[in-house]
Amino acid sequence: MTGGIRVLLYILSFFIPVVGIILGIIWMNDQDPEKKQVGKTCLIVGIVSIVLSCICWFAASTLSIGPAFMSGY
């Protein structure tokens, strides 16, 4: 597997986390150690992407309702 394909899979795993999780689950059970490592990394990137999007969503929703509680009316 070339470096360009690995980078493409990592980017795809970040922007579409479901793809990374599916690739990770499938390739972590492969006999090829290179595919196993790429699968593990795709799985981690997919999970990190989901966690970051949840944190950003929570922060954005908190910041959007915050001014409503700070007004003196």
Side-chain angles (χ1 to χ4, degrees):
M1 184 174 298
T2 64
I5 292 176
R6 273 191 240 157
V7 171
L8 178 66
L9 290 173
Y10 298 155
I11 291 171
L12 195 63
S13 296
F14 184 77
F15 287 111
I16 308 173
V18 175
V19 172
I21 291 170
I22 291 171
L23 279 175
I25 291 170
I26 292 172
W27 283 1
M28 280 181 61
N29 297 322
D30 200 296
Q31 296 299 324
D32 184 15
E34 184 181 3
K35 270 189 176 179
K36 193 175 274 198
Q37 182 61 38
V38 171
K40 182 178 177 183
T41 305
C42 284
L43 182 64
I44 291 170
V45 169
I47 292 171
V48 166
S49 176
I50 290 173
V51 169
L52 283 176
S53 66
C54 288
I55 290 170
C56 289
W57 177 83
F58 181 74
S61 64
T62 302
L63 292 174
S64 67
I65 64 169
F69 293 112
M70 291 183 185
S71 64
Y73 301 106

